[in-house]
């Protein structure tokens, strides 16, 4: 079992490229109000975990190795830029991790490793394709809320059907 992290327990936020900024803005604002770091994570579902060692790193294999490195780097840089913009403006300490495998389980492992106080995730995007995906693969938020021993904050997607941004 890894040693408990020192310092305040961070929040862990699961991010996806192209998602509305509501989740990141909410997680960063909450981390700022609590005075804790924010650990953001993108889970590459096209990869699968082949070895997990919290003291070192997760070793993964891609289901699409020919497109793997460049695509993951591009997505990570896009997310890094978005996280920096939001968190730096609020003075929130942050980091970004790229994980592999099932998103719910990967976020759960990261939260356990980081000693997170809470996991912040979004609701599925509106639309038929996203509903079918959630029906087939299961909802990350639902799985985490049933299998975690820490609180899970589920941030609703806004803006798609006329809802205002955070706090409005």
């Amino acid at each position: 079992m890894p040693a408990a992290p020192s310092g305040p327990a961070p929040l862990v936020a699961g991010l996806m490229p192209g998602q509305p900024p509501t989740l990141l803005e909410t997680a960063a604002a909450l981390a700022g109000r609590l005075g804790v770091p924010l650990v953001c994570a993108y889970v590459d579902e096209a990869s699968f975990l082949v070895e997990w060692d919290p003291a070192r790193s997760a070793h993964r294999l891609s289901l699409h190795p020919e497109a793997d490195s460049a695509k993951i780097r591009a997505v990570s840089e896009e997310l890094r830029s978005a996280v920096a913009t939001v968190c730096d403006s609020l003075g929130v300490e942050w980091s970004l991790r790229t994980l592999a495998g099932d998103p719910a389980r990967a976020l759960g492992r990261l939260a356990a490793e980081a000693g997170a106080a809470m996991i912040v995730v979004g609701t599925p995007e509106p639309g038929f394709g996203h509903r079918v995906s959630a029906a087939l693969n299961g909802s990350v938020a639902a799985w985490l809320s049933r299998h975690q021993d820490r609180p899970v904050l589920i941030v609703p997607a806004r803006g798609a059907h006329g809802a205002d941004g955070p706090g409005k």
Side-chain angles (χ1 to χ4, degrees):
M1 179 162 242
S6 61
L11 301 183
V12 168
L15 303 179
M16 291 178 47
Q19 76 185 113
T22 308
L23 182 140
L24 176 57
E25 292 167 350
T26 301
L30 182 58
R33 286 186 191 115
L34 296 173
V36 300
L38 179 62
V39 179
C40 297
Y42 162 64
V43 182
D44 176 25
E45 291 182 83
S47 297
F48 61 96
L49 193 63
V50 292
E51 184 179 336
W52 173 253
D53 181 359
R56 295 189 181 114
S57 63
H59 302 284
R60 64 183 183 84
L61 291 178
S62 177
L63 300 175
H64 307 287
E66 65 280 353
D68 186 44
S69 295
K71 180 181 176 190
I72 291 174
R73 273 196 305 272
V75 168
S76 293
E77 286 309 311
E78 173 189 334
L79 289 173
R80 186 173 308 285
S81 175
V83 172
T85 298
V86 172
C87 290
D88 291 350
S89 70
L90 296 172
V92 173
E93 178 186 338
W94 64 273
S95 62
L96 177 66
R97 300 272 306 269
T98 300
L99 308 173
D102 174 78
R105 286 170 177 81
L107 290 172
R109 283 190 304 268
L110 175 61
E113 175 190 324
M118 180 184 299
I119 301 172
V120 184
V121 294
T123 57
E125 295 286 324
F128 180 72
H130 294 286
R131 284 195 303 265
V132 169
S133 177
L136 294 175
N137 301 324
S139 163
V140 171
W143 191 92
L144 286 170
S145 68
R146 290 186 187 105
H147 295 91
Q148 277 300 300
D149 59 354
R150 64 193 81 254
V152 177
L153 174 63
I154 303 169
V155 180
R158 296 188 187 144
H161 298 288
D164 290 332
K168 296 183 182 167

